Amino acid sequence: MSIPEASIVQVTLSTEQQATSQEGFGLTCLFGTSTKLPVAERFLLASSMSDVSAIFAPADAEYQAAQVYFAQIGNGGPAAKLMIARMFQAAVAAQLIGAPITATLAQFTAINSGSISLTIDGTVENIAGINLTGAANLNAVAAAIQTALQVAKPNSTCTFDGEEFTINSGTTGAASTITFATAAPAGTDLAPLMLIRQADGGSVAQGSAAETLAQSLAAVFALYPNFYQFSLVYGPSDADIEAAAAFALANSLVFGYTSSEPGCSLQSSTTDIAYIMSQATNKRVIGVFDKQALNPFAILSALAYAATIDFTGSDTAATLMFKQLPGISVSNISTTEKTVLDGK
């Protein structure tokens, strides 16, 4: 497809005072729905795919989106970090996460009558009689503790992730609560080994009701308002894109999305997301049209390029025109389709 020169060459020169640099201008946030991020922290700051792979697996949308983002970072400019945040699309349970343990398996398997005392959903639970002598590893230790917990609190869980023990209430929503462990009244107290006491340096988060998209965006922004760009990586609906665009406008952020809606490239369509965004006249939104639906995260490569621009340097500003998107397959469109997209 050839592109008419007049459609891209329009130059206006102006001079202004250098703008004050904004903290987080190079930080992009991905909003996903994975439950792998803790309830309390709710977000991860990553400098590379190594940081991402410590939490997410290749099948996770957050992992795949981060791959697209970091593939672009090597194209120059200051290194840009990536933020990945968790949305609460469903109600979540209260959660206790211990500090990274120092105890050995042998210290646990020496215990035949272990106990834990903590308050779950407003009730003090003294869990006793936990036999760990047959545990083959620390995951088996967690399983034995979970079995004992569920006698008192059905559906509650205890897991070990290789570093820390996590205990979740068996209920969800605002009424779901949990505390740090306190001294057990009988048996061998497991809390000092699990490092789930307040003094040990772990964390506690109370349950939460399901959030709307707007509530999730606002909650994460309140926790860490230092990102400048963001995108949704869970296959958002057009309504979600509209809500995110409104949030970007209200908070002086930049929102990016990818769409493969056929109507985007049709002149007659007035219900596709590209047309809807054009009518909103929201200049805080960047969209990528992926005709063949080859990569739902294509926009992240463009956002990554923008994030690496050094606005404090000299002759370092750049546009997104004709920039490469590493790893993103090309969608072939006609001249007519391009003209329609340009008008939306």
PDB file of all heavy atoms in Angstrom, residues 280-316:
ATOM      1  N   ALA A 280     -15.291  11.049  20.876  1.00  0.00           N
ATOM      2  CA  ALA A 280     -15.034  11.521  22.240  1.00  0.00           C
ATOM      3  C   ALA A 280     -13.994  12.638  22.261  1.00  0.00           C
ATOM      4  O   ALA A 280     -13.833  13.322  23.272  1.00  0.00           O
ATOM      5  CB  ALA A 280     -14.569  10.362  23.115  1.00  0.00           C
ATOM      6  N   THR A 281     -13.266  12.803  21.152  1.00  0.00           N
ATOM      7  CA  THR A 281     -12.190  13.812  21.038  1.00  0.00           C
ATOM      8  C   THR A 281     -11.262  13.778  22.245  1.00  0.00           C
ATOM      9  O   THR A 281     -10.911  14.803  22.810  1.00  0.00           O
ATOM     10  CB  THR A 281     -12.775  15.235  20.858  1.00  0.00           C
ATOM     11  OG1 THR A 281     -13.567  15.572  22.016  1.00  0.00           O
ATOM     12  CG2 THR A 281     -13.622  15.317  19.608  1.00  0.00           C
ATOM     13  N   ASN A 282     -10.902  12.569  22.641  1.00  0.00           N
ATOM     14  CA  ASN A 282     -10.021  12.362  23.786  1.00  0.00           C
ATOM     15  C   ASN A 282      -8.603  12.172  23.263  1.00  0.00           C
ATOM     16  O   ASN A 282      -8.266  11.125  22.714  1.00  0.00           O
ATOM     17  CB  ASN A 282     -10.487  11.142  24.587  1.00  0.00           C
ATOM     18  CG  ASN A 282      -9.682  10.940  25.863  1.00  0.00           C
ATOM     19  OD1 ASN A 282      -8.602  11.497  26.033  1.00  0.00           O
ATOM     20  ND2 ASN A 282     -10.224  10.138  26.766  1.00  0.00           N
ATOM     21  N   LYS A 283      -7.764  13.158  23.419  1.00  0.00           N
ATOM     22  CA  LYS A 283      -6.400  13.093  22.907  1.00  0.00           C
ATOM     23  C   LYS A 283      -5.450  12.358  23.849  1.00  0.00           C
ATOM     24  O   LYS A 283      -4.238  12.380  23.654  1.00  0.00           O
ATOM     25  CB  LYS A 283      -5.892  14.503  22.620  1.00  0.00           C
ATOM     26  CG  LYS A 283      -6.663  15.188  21.497  1.00  0.00           C
ATOM     27  CD  LYS A 283      -6.079  16.544  21.148  1.00  0.00           C
ATOM     28  CE  LYS A 283      -6.846  17.192  20.010  1.00  0.00           C
ATOM     29  NZ  LYS A 283      -6.296  18.520  19.642  1.00  0.00           N
ATOM     30  N   ARG A 284      -5.999  11.713  24.849  1.00  0.00           N
ATOM     31  CA  ARG A 284      -5.197  10.927  25.792  1.00  0.00           C
ATOM     32  C   ARG A 284      -5.237   9.444  25.447  1.00  0.00           C
ATOM     33  O   ARG A 284      -4.849   8.604  26.261  1.00  0.00           O
ATOM     34  CB  ARG A 284      -5.727  11.138  27.206  1.00  0.00           C
ATOM     35  CG  ARG A 284      -5.493  12.545  27.735  1.00  0.00           C
ATOM     36  CD  ARG A 284      -4.133  12.634  28.355  1.00  0.00           C
ATOM     37  NE  ARG A 284      -3.772  13.993  28.733  1.00  0.00           N
ATOM     38  CZ  ARG A 284      -2.600  14.298  29.253  1.00  0.00           C
ATOM     39  NH1 ARG A 284      -1.704  13.352  29.436  1.00  0.00           N
ATOM     40  NH2 ARG A 284      -2.301  15.535  29.563  1.00  0.00           N
ATOM     41  N   VAL A 285      -5.704   9.101  24.260  1.00  0.00           N
ATOM     42  CA  VAL A 285      -5.880   7.703  23.868  1.00  0.00           C
ATOM     43  C   VAL A 285      -5.104   7.403  22.593  1.00  0.00           C
ATOM     44  O   VAL A 285      -5.125   8.183  21.642  1.00  0.00           O
ATOM     45  CB  VAL A 285      -7.378   7.373  23.651  1.00  0.00           C
ATOM     46  CG1 VAL A 285      -7.546   5.921  23.234  1.00  0.00           C
ATOM     47  CG2 VAL A 285      -8.169   7.653  24.918  1.00  0.00           C
ATOM     48  N   ILE A 286      -4.409   6.261  22.586  1.00  0.00           N
ATOM     49  CA  ILE A 286      -3.711   5.775  21.396  1.00  0.00           C
ATOM     50  C   ILE A 286      -4.259   4.392  21.063  1.00  0.00           C
ATOM     51  O   ILE A 286      -4.313   3.517  21.936  1.00  0.00           O
ATOM     52  CB  ILE A 286      -2.195   5.673  21.618  1.00  0.00           C
ATOM     53  CG1 ILE A 286      -1.616   7.021  22.037  1.00  0.00           C
ATOM     54  CG2 ILE A 286      -1.494   5.183  20.356  1.00  0.00           C
ATOM     55  CD1 ILE A 286      -0.144   6.954  22.394  1.00  0.00           C
ATOM     56  N   GLY A 287      -4.654   4.175  19.812  1.00  0.00           N
ATOM     57  CA  GLY A 287      -5.185   2.875  19.413  1.00  0.00           C
ATOM     58  C   GLY A 287      -4.371   2.258  18.298  1.00  0.00           C
ATOM     59  O   GLY A 287      -3.800   2.959  17.459  1.00  0.00           O
ATOM     60  N   VAL A 288      -4.289   0.943  18.287  1.00  0.00           N
ATOM     61  CA  VAL A 288      -3.664   0.184  17.205  1.00  0.00           C
ATOM     62  C   VAL A 288      -4.723  -0.722  16.594  1.00  0.00           C
ATOM     63  O   VAL A 288      -5.437  -1.424  17.317  1.00  0.00           O
ATOM     64  CB  VAL A 288      -2.484  -0.660  17.707  1.00  0.00           C
ATOM     65  CG1 VAL A 288      -2.064  -1.688  16.658  1.00  0.00           C
ATOM     66  CG2 VAL A 288      -1.288   0.228  18.045  1.00  0.00           C
ATOM     67  N   PHE A 289      -4.845  -0.680  15.268  1.00  0.00           N
ATOM     68  CA  PHE A 289      -5.780  -1.558  14.569  1.00  0.00           C
ATOM     69  C   PHE A 289      -5.031  -2.793  14.079  1.00  0.00           C
ATOM     70  O   PHE A 289      -4.072  -2.686  13.308  1.00  0.00           O
ATOM     71  CB  PHE A 289      -6.416  -0.829  13.390  1.00  0.00           C
ATOM     72  CG  PHE A 289      -7.364  -1.683  12.592  1.00  0.00           C
ATOM     73  CD1 PHE A 289      -8.456  -2.292  13.193  1.00  0.00           C
ATOM     74  CD2 PHE A 289      -7.171  -1.878  11.221  1.00  0.00           C
ATOM     75  CE1 PHE A 289      -9.338  -3.083  12.460  1.00  0.00           C
ATOM     76  CE2 PHE A 289      -8.046  -2.652  10.484  1.00  0.00           C
ATOM     77  CZ  PHE A 289      -9.132  -3.264  11.095  1.00  0.00           C
ATOM     78  N   ASP A 290      -5.461  -3.953  14.530  1.00  0.00           N
ATOM     79  CA  ASP A 290      -4.835  -5.236  14.182  1.00  0.00           C
ATOM     80  C   ASP A 290      -5.854  -6.035  13.377  1.00  0.00           C
ATOM     81  O   ASP A 290      -6.625  -6.818  13.927  1.00  0.00           O
ATOM     82  CB  ASP A 290      -4.434  -5.969  15.465  1.00  0.00           C
ATOM     83  CG  ASP A 290      -3.767  -7.302  15.208  1.00  0.00           C
ATOM     84  OD1 ASP A 290      -3.373  -7.550  14.048  1.00  0.00           O
ATOM     85  OD2 ASP A 290      -3.643  -8.097  16.157  1.00  0.00           O
ATOM     86  N   LYS A 291      -5.870  -5.825  12.070  1.00  0.00           N
ATOM     87  CA  LYS A 291      -6.924  -6.366  11.207  1.00  0.00           C
ATOM     88  C   LYS A 291      -7.053  -7.876  11.315  1.00  0.00           C
ATOM     89  O   LYS A 291      -8.166  -8.417  11.381  1.00  0.00           O
ATOM     90  CB  LYS A 291      -6.657  -5.971   9.757  1.00  0.00           C
ATOM     91  CG  LYS A 291      -7.733  -6.437   8.782  1.00  0.00           C
ATOM     92  CD  LYS A 291      -7.436  -5.970   7.368  1.00  0.00           C
ATOM     93  CE  LYS A 291      -8.497  -6.436   6.387  1.00  0.00           C
ATOM     94  NZ  LYS A 291      -8.225  -5.976   5.005  1.00  0.00           N
ATOM     95  N   GLN A 292      -5.938  -8.578  11.328  1.00  0.00           N
ATOM     96  CA  GLN A 292      -5.982 -10.039  11.360  1.00  0.00           C
ATOM     97  C   GLN A 292      -5.978 -10.607  12.781  1.00  0.00           C
ATOM     98  O   GLN A 292      -5.861 -11.812  12.966  1.00  0.00           O
ATOM     99  CB  GLN A 292      -4.791 -10.623  10.579  1.00  0.00           C
ATOM    100  CG  GLN A 292      -4.963 -10.588   9.064  1.00  0.00           C
ATOM    101  CD  GLN A 292      -4.574  -9.248   8.458  1.00  0.00           C
ATOM    102  OE1 GLN A 292      -3.642  -8.595   8.923  1.00  0.00           O
ATOM    103  NE2 GLN A 292      -5.275  -8.829   7.418  1.00  0.00           N
ATOM    104  N   ALA A 293      -6.099  -9.752  13.779  1.00  0.00           N
ATOM    105  CA  ALA A 293      -6.090 -10.173  15.184  1.00  0.00           C
ATOM    106  C   ALA A 293      -4.867 -11.040  15.483  1.00  0.00           C
ATOM    107  O   ALA A 293      -4.972 -12.099  16.085  1.00  0.00           O
ATOM    108  CB  ALA A 293      -7.383 -10.926  15.529  1.00  0.00           C
ATOM    109  N   LEU A 294      -3.702 -10.550  15.073  1.00  0.00           N
ATOM    110  CA  LEU A 294      -2.465 -11.319  15.223  1.00  0.00           C
ATOM    111  C   LEU A 294      -1.828 -11.137  16.593  1.00  0.00           C
ATOM    112  O   LEU A 294      -1.167 -12.040  17.096  1.00  0.00           O
ATOM    113  CB  LEU A 294      -1.473 -10.918  14.123  1.00  0.00           C
ATOM    114  CG  LEU A 294      -1.952 -11.136  12.682  1.00  0.00           C
ATOM    115  CD1 LEU A 294      -0.948 -10.560  11.695  1.00  0.00           C
ATOM    116  CD2 LEU A 294      -2.157 -12.627  12.423  1.00  0.00           C
ATOM    117  N   ASN A 295      -1.987  -9.966  17.192  1.00  0.00           N
ATOM    118  CA  ASN A 295      -1.397  -9.730  18.508  1.00  0.00           C
ATOM    119  C   ASN A 295      -2.238  -8.735  19.293  1.00  0.00           C
ATOM    120  O   ASN A 295      -2.256  -7.546  18.973  1.00  0.00           O
ATOM    121  CB  ASN A 295       0.039  -9.209  18.380  1.00  0.00           C
ATOM    122  CG  ASN A 295       0.792  -9.298  19.703  1.00  0.00           C
ATOM    123  OD1 ASN A 295       0.275  -8.911  20.743  1.00  0.00           O
ATOM    124  ND2 ASN A 295       2.001  -9.830  19.662  1.00  0.00           N
ATOM    125  N   PRO A 296      -2.930  -9.195  20.332  1.00  0.00           N
ATOM    126  CA  PRO A 296      -3.803  -8.303  21.102  1.00  0.00           C
ATOM    127  C   PRO A 296      -3.049  -7.268  21.931  1.00  0.00           C
ATOM    128  O   PRO A 296      -3.660  -6.362  22.491  1.00  0.00           O
ATOM    129  CB  PRO A 296      -4.569  -9.276  22.012  1.00  0.00           C
ATOM    130  CG  PRO A 296      -3.644 -10.437  22.169  1.00  0.00           C
ATOM    131  CD  PRO A 296      -2.948 -10.577  20.850  1.00  0.00           C
ATOM    132  N   PHE A 297      -1.705  -7.416  22.002  1.00  0.00           N
ATOM    133  CA  PHE A 297      -0.921  -6.488  22.815  1.00  0.00           C
ATOM    134  C   PHE A 297      -0.032  -5.576  21.962  1.00  0.00           C
ATOM    135  O   PHE A 297       0.940  -4.997  22.456  1.00  0.00           O
ATOM    136  CB  PHE A 297      -0.051  -7.272  23.811  1.00  0.00           C
ATOM    137  CG  PHE A 297      -0.813  -8.306  24.588  1.00  0.00           C
ATOM    138  CD1 PHE A 297      -0.460  -9.643  24.524  1.00  0.00           C
ATOM    139  CD2 PHE A 297      -1.908  -7.951  25.365  1.00  0.00           C
ATOM    140  CE1 PHE A 297      -1.160 -10.605  25.230  1.00  0.00           C
ATOM    141  CE2 PHE A 297      -2.626  -8.902  26.076  1.00  0.00           C
ATOM    142  CZ  PHE A 297      -2.247 -10.232  26.005  1.00  0.00           C
ATOM    143  N   ALA A 298      -0.361  -5.421  20.687  1.00  0.00           N
ATOM    144  CA  ALA A 298       0.481  -4.641  19.786  1.00  0.00           C
ATOM    145  C   ALA A 298       0.694  -3.214  20.279  1.00  0.00           C
ATOM    146  O   ALA A 298       1.778  -2.647  20.111  1.00  0.00           O
ATOM    147  CB  ALA A 298      -0.140  -4.630  18.387  1.00  0.00           C
ATOM    148  N   ILE A 299      -0.310  -2.618  20.895  1.00  0.00           N
ATOM    149  CA  ILE A 299      -0.186  -1.241  21.369  1.00  0.00           C
ATOM    150  C   ILE A 299       0.957  -1.078  22.350  1.00  0.00           C
ATOM    151  O   ILE A 299       1.567  -0.003  22.449  1.00  0.00           O
ATOM    152  CB  ILE A 299      -1.514  -0.776  22.022  1.00  0.00           C
ATOM    153  CG1 ILE A 299      -1.424   0.711  22.429  1.00  0.00           C
ATOM    154  CG2 ILE A 299      -1.856  -1.629  23.224  1.00  0.00           C
ATOM    155  CD1 ILE A 299      -1.159   1.655  21.302  1.00  0.00           C
ATOM    156  N   LEU A 300       1.309  -2.146  23.070  1.00  0.00           N
ATOM    157  CA  LEU A 300       2.341  -2.023  24.098  1.00  0.00           C
ATOM    158  C   LEU A 300       3.711  -1.746  23.506  1.00  0.00           C
ATOM    159  O   LEU A 300       4.564  -1.130  24.156  1.00  0.00           O
ATOM    160  CB  LEU A 300       2.377  -3.284  24.961  1.00  0.00           C
ATOM    161  CG  LEU A 300       1.100  -3.515  25.775  1.00  0.00           C
ATOM    162  CD1 LEU A 300       1.186  -4.815  26.558  1.00  0.00           C
ATOM    163  CD2 LEU A 300       0.860  -2.347  26.717  1.00  0.00           C
ATOM    164  N   SER A 301       3.940  -2.186  22.283  1.00  0.00           N
ATOM    165  CA  SER A 301       5.213  -1.890  21.644  1.00  0.00           C
ATOM    166  C   SER A 301       5.316  -0.391  21.361  1.00  0.00           C
ATOM    167  O   SER A 301       6.385   0.215  21.548  1.00  0.00           O
ATOM    168  CB  SER A 301       5.352  -2.690  20.342  1.00  0.00           C
ATOM    169  OG  SER A 301       6.651  -2.579  19.811  1.00  0.00           O
ATOM    170  N   ALA A 302       4.214   0.208  20.934  1.00  0.00           N
ATOM    171  CA  ALA A 302       4.204   1.655  20.693  1.00  0.00           C
ATOM    172  C   ALA A 302       4.361   2.428  21.999  1.00  0.00           C
ATOM    173  O   ALA A 302       5.114   3.410  22.072  1.00  0.00           O
ATOM    174  CB  ALA A 302       2.911   2.059  19.989  1.00  0.00           C
ATOM    175  N   LEU A 303       3.663   1.992  23.044  1.00  0.00           N
ATOM    176  CA  LEU A 303       3.788   2.668  24.337  1.00  0.00           C
ATOM    177  C   LEU A 303       5.199   2.543  24.882  1.00  0.00           C
ATOM    178  O   LEU A 303       5.727   3.486  25.500  1.00  0.00           O
ATOM    179  CB  LEU A 303       2.779   2.088  25.331  1.00  0.00           C
ATOM    180  CG  LEU A 303       1.293   2.326  25.044  1.00  0.00           C
ATOM    181  CD1 LEU A 303       0.440   1.721  26.147  1.00  0.00           C
ATOM    182  CD2 LEU A 303       0.988   3.809  24.888  1.00  0.00           C
ATOM    183  N   ALA A 304       5.830   1.388  24.664  1.00  0.00           N
ATOM    184  CA  ALA A 304       7.200   1.193  25.133  1.00  0.00           C
ATOM    185  C   ALA A 304       8.150   2.142  24.430  1.00  0.00           C
ATOM    186  O   ALA A 304       9.060   2.706  25.057  1.00  0.00           O
ATOM    187  CB  ALA A 304       7.636  -0.257  24.914  1.00  0.00           C
ATOM    188  N   TYR A 305       7.946   2.330  23.132  1.00  0.00           N
ATOM    189  CA  TYR A 305       8.807   3.263  22.400  1.00  0.00           C
ATOM    190  C   TYR A 305       8.662   4.670  22.975  1.00  0.00           C
ATOM    191  O   TYR A 305       9.652   5.372  23.197  1.00  0.00           O
ATOM    192  CB  TYR A 305       8.472   3.262  20.916  1.00  0.00           C
ATOM    193  CG  TYR A 305       9.454   4.066  20.089  1.00  0.00           C
ATOM    194  CD1 TYR A 305      10.546   3.447  19.495  1.00  0.00           C
ATOM    195  CD2 TYR A 305       9.311   5.444  19.946  1.00  0.00           C
ATOM    196  CE1 TYR A 305      11.467   4.180  18.764  1.00  0.00           C
ATOM    197  CE2 TYR A 305      10.226   6.182  19.218  1.00  0.00           C
ATOM    198  CZ  TYR A 305      11.302   5.542  18.635  1.00  0.00           C
ATOM    199  OH  TYR A 305      12.225   6.284  17.930  1.00  0.00           O
ATOM    200  N   ALA A 306       7.435   5.070  23.221  1.00  0.00           N
ATOM    201  CA  ALA A 306       7.197   6.405  23.773  1.00  0.00           C
ATOM    202  C   ALA A 306       7.819   6.546  25.154  1.00  0.00           C
ATOM    203  O   ALA A 306       8.338   7.611  25.514  1.00  0.00           O
ATOM    204  CB  ALA A 306       5.696   6.681  23.833  1.00  0.00           C
ATOM    205  N   ALA A 307       7.785   5.473  25.928  1.00  0.00           N
ATOM    206  CA  ALA A 307       8.315   5.520  27.292  1.00  0.00           C
ATOM    207  C   ALA A 307       9.827   5.672  27.330  1.00  0.00           C
ATOM    208  O   ALA A 307      10.385   6.133  28.331  1.00  0.00           O
ATOM    209  CB  ALA A 307       7.905   4.260  28.052  1.00  0.00           C
ATOM    210  N   THR A 308      10.512   5.282  26.253  1.00  0.00           N
ATOM    211  CA  THR A 308      11.976   5.351  26.251  1.00  0.00           C
ATOM    212  C   THR A 308      12.516   6.671  25.706  1.00  0.00           C
ATOM    213  O   THR A 308      13.724   6.889  25.696  1.00  0.00           O
ATOM    214  CB  THR A 308      12.582   4.202  25.416  1.00  0.00           C
ATOM    215  OG1 THR A 308      12.112   4.294  24.070  1.00  0.00           O
ATOM    216  CG2 THR A 308      12.209   2.850  25.994  1.00  0.00           C
ATOM    217  N   ILE A 309      11.646   7.560  25.266  1.00  0.00           N
ATOM    218  CA  ILE A 309      12.112   8.857  24.750  1.00  0.00           C
ATOM    219  C   ILE A 309      12.641   9.708  25.906  1.00  0.00           C
ATOM    220  O   ILE A 309      11.984   9.860  26.934  1.00  0.00           O
ATOM    221  CB  ILE A 309      10.972   9.599  24.029  1.00  0.00           C
ATOM    222  CG1 ILE A 309      10.539   8.820  22.779  1.00  0.00           C
ATOM    223  CG2 ILE A 309      11.415  11.009  23.634  1.00  0.00           C
ATOM    224  CD1 ILE A 309       9.319   9.387  22.089  1.00  0.00           C
ATOM    225  N   ASP A 310      13.831  10.243  25.726  1.00  0.00           N
ATOM    226  CA  ASP A 310      14.456  11.074  26.754  1.00  0.00           C
ATOM    227  C   ASP A 310      14.070  12.533  26.513  1.00  0.00           C
ATOM    228  O   ASP A 310      14.657  13.224  25.678  1.00  0.00           O
ATOM    229  CB  ASP A 310      15.979  10.899  26.704  1.00  0.00           C
ATOM    230  CG  ASP A 310      16.686  11.713  27.780  1.00  0.00           C
ATOM    231  OD1 ASP A 310      15.988  12.330  28.618  1.00  0.00           O
ATOM    232  OD2 ASP A 310      17.933  11.731  27.787  1.00  0.00           O
ATOM    233  N   PHE A 311      13.103  13.016  27.262  1.00  0.00           N
ATOM    234  CA  PHE A 311      12.632  14.383  27.076  1.00  0.00           C
ATOM    235  C   PHE A 311      13.501  15.410  27.789  1.00  0.00           C
ATOM    236  O   PHE A 311      13.255  16.609  27.710  1.00  0.00           O
ATOM    237  CB  PHE A 311      11.176  14.510  27.542  1.00  0.00           C
ATOM    238  CG  PHE A 311      10.193  13.852  26.621  1.00  0.00           C
ATOM    239  CD1 PHE A 311       9.727  12.574  26.878  1.00  0.00           C
ATOM    240  CD2 PHE A 311       9.746  14.495  25.486  1.00  0.00           C
ATOM    241  CE1 PHE A 311       8.829  11.950  26.020  1.00  0.00           C
ATOM    242  CE2 PHE A 311       8.845  13.894  24.626  1.00  0.00           C
ATOM    243  CZ  PHE A 311       8.393  12.607  24.888  1.00  0.00           C
ATOM    244  N   THR A 312      14.516  14.945  28.493  1.00  0.00           N
ATOM    245  CA  THR A 312      15.418  15.871  29.165  1.00  0.00           C
ATOM    246  C   THR A 312      16.651  16.157  28.319  1.00  0.00           C
ATOM    247  O   THR A 312      17.467  17.010  28.671  1.00  0.00           O
ATOM    248  CB  THR A 312      15.876  15.297  30.524  1.00  0.00           C
ATOM    249  OG1 THR A 312      16.661  14.113  30.298  1.00  0.00           O
ATOM    250  CG2 THR A 312      14.683  14.964  31.396  1.00  0.00           C
ATOM    251  N   GLY A 313      16.827  15.435  27.210  1.00  0.00           N
ATOM    252  CA  GLY A 313      18.005  15.604  26.375  1.00  0.00           C
ATOM    253  C   GLY A 313      17.810  16.638  25.283  1.00  0.00           C
ATOM    254  O   GLY A 313      16.800  17.352  25.228  1.00  0.00           O
ATOM    255  N   SER A 314      18.784  16.700  24.387  1.00  0.00           N
ATOM    256  CA  SER A 314      18.733  17.629  23.263  1.00  0.00           C
ATOM    257  C   SER A 314      18.560  16.824  21.976  1.00  0.00           C
ATOM    258  O   SER A 314      19.263  15.843  21.744  1.00  0.00           O
ATOM    259  CB  SER A 314      20.026  18.451  23.195  1.00  0.00           C
ATOM    260  OG  SER A 314      20.024  19.306  22.085  1.00  0.00           O
ATOM    261  N   ASP A 315      17.603  17.232  21.137  1.00  0.00           N
ATOM    262  CA  ASP A 315      17.315  16.533  19.883  1.00  0.00           C
ATOM    263  C   ASP A 315      16.972  15.062  20.120  1.00  0.00           C
ATOM    264  O   ASP A 315      17.387  14.188  19.358  1.00  0.00           O
ATOM    265  CB  ASP A 315      18.505  16.643  18.919  1.00  0.00           C
ATOM    266  CG  ASP A 315      18.762  18.079  18.488  1.00  0.00           C
ATOM    267  OD1 ASP A 315      17.777  18.847  18.386  1.00  0.00           O
ATOM    268  OD2 ASP A 315      19.932  18.425  18.268  1.00  0.00           O
ATOM    269  N   THR A 316      16.241  14.782  21.177  1.00  0.00           N
ATOM    270  CA  THR A 316      15.897  13.395  21.496  1.00  0.00           C
ATOM    271  C   THR A 316      14.413  13.093  21.311  1.00  0.00           C
ATOM    272  O   THR A 316      14.007  11.937  21.381  1.00  0.00           O
ATOM    273  CB  THR A 316      16.269  13.065  22.951  1.00  0.00           C
ATOM    274  OG1 THR A 316      15.632  14.011  23.821  1.00  0.00           O
ATOM    275  CG2 THR A 316      17.771  13.126  23.161  1.00  0.00           C
TER     276      THR A 316
END
